[in-house]
Amino acid sequence: MRIRGLILMLLVVLTLSGCSVTGEVENQAYVLVLGVDRVNGGELELTARVPQIGKGSGDSEESGGSYLTFSASGVDWPRALEALEQATPRPVNLSHIEMLVVSEDLAREVDFAALLNRIAETPHLYTTARFVVCEGRARVFLQELDTVIGTRLSSEIDAMLDHYAQRGYIPRSSLADACFAFNSIYGDGVAILGTVAEDTRAAVSLTDPGELSDEASPMKQRYGGAALFSEGRMVGTLGADRVMLLNLLRGEKSDLPFECEGRHYTLTPKGGAGKQVTHDNKQTILVVNQRFTTLDDICDEDKERLEAEIEQKLVEVIQACQSLSSDPFGFAEAAAARFSTVRSWLIFDWREHYKSADIRVNVDVG
């Protein structure tokens, strides 16, 4: 009887209780995009993009809606977050965040990996789906965010960046991916590269990622290319055309559009890129074996030229990363397989061997 009585009392309490005023949706500042800059001689500035939700605005938010931008700074990450809470008229809620944007200057700092780890420790942020490094200030990048009529900002970010990733213009990079790579001794991470367009023409053409179309676009952001990291700090970039090959080597790309001597081909990888690391007379050799299938008609002579052209482009991408001491491909994992302990791997000093390694790429188009 006592148990039944307690259950009844609990049901009564649950029935009478409701959402508190501060817990209601319209009284939360749901941050969709968060930007991080270094300002004022060392302070961290946070910029949050928040949808306006409430009577008369909730419905409009679903159909494009309006968004507010709040910025605040502090001497370190905890104080910057506290300042953002003070600058935002409603409780800051990070549970719906879609994208973290950091400025290139900040990403190039020597201790950037430590800062990113601190950011990732903040509840809800570790699962942020997109990690972007932008040229210029992150605050400016976020202020230019806008929506296409009829969509929500969060949905638009997902659809747009998924499209770019499927086309191979950007890497698939989340905050969790970056933090894992920055704390690993077996390779380096990458981030999506973003810029603010100087005009409002569409940033990426479906036929050429480096070409601007003439169609007007309300989006002033360009997403194309990758930010490269070495030992947890940004060291350089790759353009959208090379990111297609980077994604191929990382196993993140399905089809590869390729042009050879004026003819366009669509190539489908047959299995992942076979990456190996061998040694010959103390010289480290990076080996890539990649097979493709294609539905395009191709004669033996064109096939040989196409294979040679792809091999050369893959070599150039690897060399570009070698020159920056960045290994985003996974060669380190292949090389580490022959070491029995972490200590022996660290003594080997992979990064020095990687920078001077020879490259052998074998491509077969069937």
Side-chain angles (χ1 to χ4, degrees):
M1 291 295 294
R2 292 182 60 187
I3 294 177
R4 292 178 61 185
L6 288 172
I7 293 175
L8 181 60
M9 289 178 61
L10 286 173
L11 290 174
V12 171
V13 170
L14 290 174
T15 302
L16 294 176
S17 65
C19 295
S20 65
V21 173
T22 58
E24 294 178 358
V25 171
E26 60 267 28
N27 291 320
Q28 298 282 310
Y30 289 101
V31 178
L32 299 181
V33 186
L34 184 66
V36 190
D37 288 297
R38 183 75 72 185
V39 297
N40 300 333
E43 288 191 342
L44 286 177
E45 180 184 62
L46 305 186
T47 302
R49 193 72 161 155
V50 177
Q52 282 189 298
I53 303 175
K55 289 185 178 179
S57 64
D59 293 338
S60 62
E61 193 276 331
E62 289 292 323
S63 60
S66 57
Y67 295 81
L68 301 175
T69 303
F70 300 99
S71 294
S73 59
V75 295
D76 56 20
W77 176 254
R79 290 179 176 85
L81 271 180
E82 183 179 351
L84 184 64
E85 283 277 7
Q86 295 173 358
T88 307
R90 297 171 181 173
V92 173
N93 190 315
L94 300 174
S95 63
H96 288 69
I97 191 165
E98 294 286 340
M99 184 165 63
L100 176 73
V101 181
V102 302
S103 66
E104 180 176 343
D105 288 344
L106 182 60
R108 288 182 179 273
E109 291 183 359
V110 175
D111 59 349
F112 176 68
L115 172 61
L116 201 68
N117 285 334
R118 186 70 184 87
I119 293 173
E121 291 172 357
T122 306
H124 304 299
L125 288 188
Y126 188 75
T127 55
T128 301
R130 317 288 181 175
F131 175 47
V132 176
V133 172
C134 71
E135 297 177 351
R137 291 186 62 184
R139 179 176 182 174
V140 174
F141 189 87
L142 265 66
Q143 287 173 336
E144 295 296 339
L145 281 174
D146 204 351
T147 60
V148 174
I149 295 175
T151 66
R152 292 172 294 174
L153 182 61
S154 57
S155 300
E156 187 169 333
I157 290 172
D158 277 340
M160 176 177 54
L161 295 185
D162 280 344
H163 164 66
Y164 290 165
Q166 289 169 4
R167 298 288 297 184
Y169 303 151
I170 60 174
R172 296 185 183 275
S173 179
S174 67
L175 181 58
D177 293 334
C179 287
F180 178 82
F182 292 174
N183 290 287
S184 172
I185 58 174
Y186 303 112
D188 297 302
V190 295
I192 300 166
L193 187 63
T195 60
V196 176
E198 294 180 358
D199 53 45
T200 57
R201 290 180 295 165
V204 176
S205 164
L206 295 182
T207 57
D208 183 352
E211 175 186 334
L212 288 174
S213 75
D214 292 328
E215 295 183 6
S217 169
M219 299 296 290
K220 293 185 179 180
Q221 289 70 39
R222 295 180 185 174
Y223 301 90
L228 299 174
F229 289 80
S230 177
E231 298 183 287
R233 62 184 291 262
M234 182 178 169
V235 292
T237 64
L238 287 179
D241 54 342
R242 287 187 166 181
V243 171
M244 292 184 182
L245 301 173
L246 170 70
N247 290 340
L248 172 70
L249 292 171
R250 286 165 60 90
E252 297 178 359
K253 187 69 175 68
S254 52
D255 289 340
L256 177 70
F258 200 87
E259 181 181 349
C260 181
E261 297 188 349
R263 183 176 176 185
H264 293 272
Y265 300 90
T266 300
L267 307 171
T268 301
K270 192 173 182 180
K275 297 187 291 289
Q276 300 175 352
V277 178
T278 62
H279 302 274
D280 185 8
N281 295 325
K282 297 185 178 180
Q283 175 64 48
T284 300
I285 304 170
L286 310 178
V287 181
V288 176
N289 296 295
Q290 180 65 65
R291 299 182 64 190
F292 294 97
T293 59
T294 180
L295 297 178
D296 301 306
D297 292 331
I298 184 171
C299 65
D300 291 341
E301 185 177 352
D302 288 342
K303 175 177 173 294
E304 291 178 2
R305 283 197 291 263
L306 176 61
E307 291 170 344
E309 183 70 15
I310 298 173
E311 289 171 356
Q312 180 59 35
K313 294 297 184 183
L314 287 172
V315 168
E316 290 173 359
V317 169
I318 296 171
Q319 287 176 335
C321 293
Q322 277 182 307
S323 68
L324 297 170
S325 189
S326 177
D327 176 14
F329 308 104
F331 285 114
E333 293 183 8
R338 70 184 186 91
F339 292 85
S340 58
T341 65
V342 171
R343 184 173 181 274
S344 61
W345 167 251
L346 294 176
I347 292 174
F348 176 68
D349 195 0
W350 161 251
R351 202 169 293 276
E352 288 301 315
H353 285 79
Y354 169 73
K355 289 190 294 184
S356 60
D358 286 342
I359 305 169
R360 297 177 185 173
V361 177
N362 305 297
V363 170
D364 178 67
V365 178

